[in-house]
């Protein structure tokens, strides 16, 4: 007796067929951008300092205890950074550290982006020099220029193709904290004697603007630059300076001067550089609110490092003491005396991707669509 499909059975099979097609299509969606380029300091460094002679390293446990495979990659946190989460949301691989790619015979990963960030460095070339070698922001831009002129032509034969690729790529920048922590507030430097807080902020903004214009000249069109966070709330500061309340407010006010000028500068670049979008990562207020009211963000501790650090909780994690790290790092604001935990990075990246009140005037999704 032949098998006959009823109309009801046919309808069911068609529904199943379309579900399979839709599911398959969504399994590997096209990324929102062809590449992600990351620049900055240890807040977004994915391992460049592993290859540099510096004491500012994070290539050992307990760093990375919550990263894929529980491995320390050189990220100064327990897991992923804000740049890593942005990569996930955009649909791209994590941007690999530039210095690791340069050591490979082939660098095909370069086509989906690179990470030039370097722990302890800043906007000014002299920032972080007392800790060893790091990649200052001008050096990072120079390495990106080398990538554009020497590496990308291996994948794109026409200059127009490179221009289109770069114009659609996302550039994420987090820089400036160390210019205060490792320079202006550091007794080894006389910067605070030579510059008032306002004039120092202006110096940083002027130098940063010059480098952002260099990036534009090299092809960058979609740029996200994060504010400096409330560094007066980090354990390295709060445990060394007498103060009232959870944060050292005088130091927080220093970076507010920078952040106010940063917002105006990014607006000016967008209005004067054709077809550009310079987005502000408006995160200082969010970071301060999380320090003052941690429970609002699912945190139980916003004042102590998660790991055991050098110098009584005022420095980086001590190598090999992963077992002594806090049992629930996702409940902590800080992983060491300077850097955030993965949970806070995820919160920032999620808001920046979806909210136009955190990333101004556009969130990442709208910027790339």
């Amino acid at each position: 007796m032949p098998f006959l499909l009823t109309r009801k059975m046919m309808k069911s099979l068609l529904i199943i067929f379309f579900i399979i097609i839709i599911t398959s299509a969504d399994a590997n969606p096209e990324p929102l951008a062809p590449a992600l380029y990351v620049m900055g300091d240890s807040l977004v460094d994915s391992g460049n300092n592993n290859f540099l002679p510096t004491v500012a390293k994070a290539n050992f446990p307990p760093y990375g205890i919550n990263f894929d495979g529980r491995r320390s990659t050189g990220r100064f946190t327990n897991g992923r950074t804000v740049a890593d989460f942005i990569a996930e949301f955009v649909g791209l691989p994590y941007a690999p550290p530039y210095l690791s790619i340069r050591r490979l015979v082939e660098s095909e990963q370069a086509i989906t982006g690179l990470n030039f960030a370097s722990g302890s460095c800043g906007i000014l070339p002299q920032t972080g020099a007392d800790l060893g070698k790091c990649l200052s922001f001008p050096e990072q831009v120079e390495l990106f220029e080398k990538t554009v002129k020497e590496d990308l032509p291996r994948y794109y034969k026409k200059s127009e193709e490179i221009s289109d690729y770069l114009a659609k790529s996302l550039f994420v920048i987090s820089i400036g904290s160390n210019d205060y922590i490792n320079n202006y507030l550091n007794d080894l430097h006389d910067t605070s004697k030579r510059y008032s807080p306002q004039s120092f902020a202006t110096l940083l903004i002027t130098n940063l603007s010059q480098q952002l214009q260099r990036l534009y000249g090299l092809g960058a069109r979609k740029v996200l630059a994060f504010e400096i966070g409330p560094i007066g709330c980090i354990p390295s500061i709060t445990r060394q300076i007498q103060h009232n309340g959870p944060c050292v407010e005088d130091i927080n006010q220093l970076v507010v001067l920078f952040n106010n000028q940063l917002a105006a500068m990014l607006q000016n670049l967008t209005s004067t550089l054709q077809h550009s979008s310079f987005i502000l990562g408006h995160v200082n207020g969010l970071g301060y609110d999380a320090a003052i009211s941690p429970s609002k963000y699912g945190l139980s501790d916003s004042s102590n490092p998660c790991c055991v650090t050098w110098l009584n909780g005022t420095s980086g994690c001590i190598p090999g003491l992963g077992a002594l790290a806090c049992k629930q790092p996702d409940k902590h604001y800080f992983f060491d005396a300077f850097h955030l935990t993965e949970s806070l990075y995820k919160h920032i990246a999620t808001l920046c991707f979806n909210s136009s009140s955190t990333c101004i005037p556009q969130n990442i999704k709208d910027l790339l669509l």
Side-chain angles (χ1 to χ4, degrees), residues 152-179:
L152 292 184
R154 294 167 53 191
Y155 310 105
Y156 299 101
K157 302 307 178 186
K158 298 179 180 179
S159 60
E160 294 83 359
E161 292 176 330
I162 295 178
S163 296
D164 182 65
Y165 157 84
L166 290 172
K168 293 177 180 177
S169 296
L170 176 63
F171 293 75
V172 172
I173 297 167
S174 178
I175 196 79
S177 296
N178 290 324
D179 292 292

Side-chain angles (χ1 to χ4, degrees), residues 123-162:
I123 298 168
L124 301 179
Q126 63 268 31
T127 293
D130 50 305
L131 297 174
K133 173 60 182 172
C134 61
L135 303 176
S136 68
F137 195 62
E139 289 178 293
Q140 293 177 37
V141 177
E142 287 173 10
L143 293 175
F144 174 69
E145 181 175 7
K146 185 176 181 181
T147 299
V148 172
K149 294 182 177 179
E150 297 180 13
D151 296 335
L152 292 184
R154 294 167 53 191
Y155 310 105
Y156 299 101
K157 302 307 178 186
K158 298 179 180 179
S159 60
E160 294 83 359
E161 292 176 330
I162 295 178

Side-chain angles (χ1 to χ4, degrees), residues 58-97:
N59 57 344
F60 53 83
Y63 293 112
I65 58 173
N66 299 108
F67 196 77
D68 181 31
R70 293 179 63 84
R71 55 195 176 94
S72 52
T73 60
R75 290 166 170 82
F76 291 76
T77 183
N78 60 303
R80 291 160 288 182
T81 68
V82 67
D84 294 326
F85 283 111
I86 289 174
E88 290 182 8
F89 298 158
V90 173
L92 289 168
Y94 301 146

Side-chain angles (χ1 to χ4, degrees), residues 148-297:
V148 172
K149 294 182 177 179
E150 297 180 13
D151 296 335
L152 292 184
R154 294 167 53 191
Y155 310 105
Y156 299 101
K157 302 307 178 186
K158 298 179 180 179
S159 60
E160 294 83 359
E161 292 176 330
I162 295 178
S163 296
D164 182 65
Y165 157 84
L166 290 172
K168 293 177 180 177
S169 296
L170 176 63
F171 293 75
V172 172
I173 297 167
S174 178
I175 196 79
S177 296
N178 290 324
D179 292 292
Y180 287 93
I181 298 169
N182 293 335
N183 191 332
Y184 195 77
L185 297 171
N186 190 324
D187 292 336
L188 296 176
H189 298 266
D190 65 350
T191 313
S192 62
K193 297 175 183 177
R194 294 187 291 116
Y195 295 93
S196 68
Q198 184 66 54
S199 62
F200 184 67
T202 300
L203 174 70
L204 294 181
I205 291 296
T206 300
N207 280 269
L208 179 59
S209 177
Q210 291 171 352
Q211 298 306 320
L212 293 181
Q213 290 177 69
R214 282 183 66 194
L215 282 179
Y216 175 86
L218 292 168
R221 295 295 181 269
K222 298 178 179 180
V223 181
L224 165 61
F226 283 104
E227 292 178 333
I228 297 177
I231 61 172
C233 300
I234 65 175
S236 178
I237 299 293
T238 59
R239 291 186 172 215
Q240 297 188 75
I241 299 176
Q242 285 190 332
H243 63 285
N244 296 317
C247 303
V248 183
E249 299 301 346
D250 288 347
I251 290 180
N252 278 339
Q253 288 307 305
L254 291 177
V255 299
V256 168
L257 297 174
F258 172 89
N259 290 335
N260 289 342
Q261 292 191 52
L262 175 65
M265 182 263 282
L266 295 177
Q267 281 185 320
N268 181 59
L269 291 181
T270 300
S271 63
T272 56
L273 299 179
Q274 192 174 24
H275 304 304
S276 71
S277 295
F278 287 85
I279 306 302
L280 174 68
H282 186 46
V283 295
N284 181 280
L286 187 156
Y288 183 76
D289 191 46
I292 301 300
S293 306
S295 61
K296 288 170 57 176
Y297 299 84

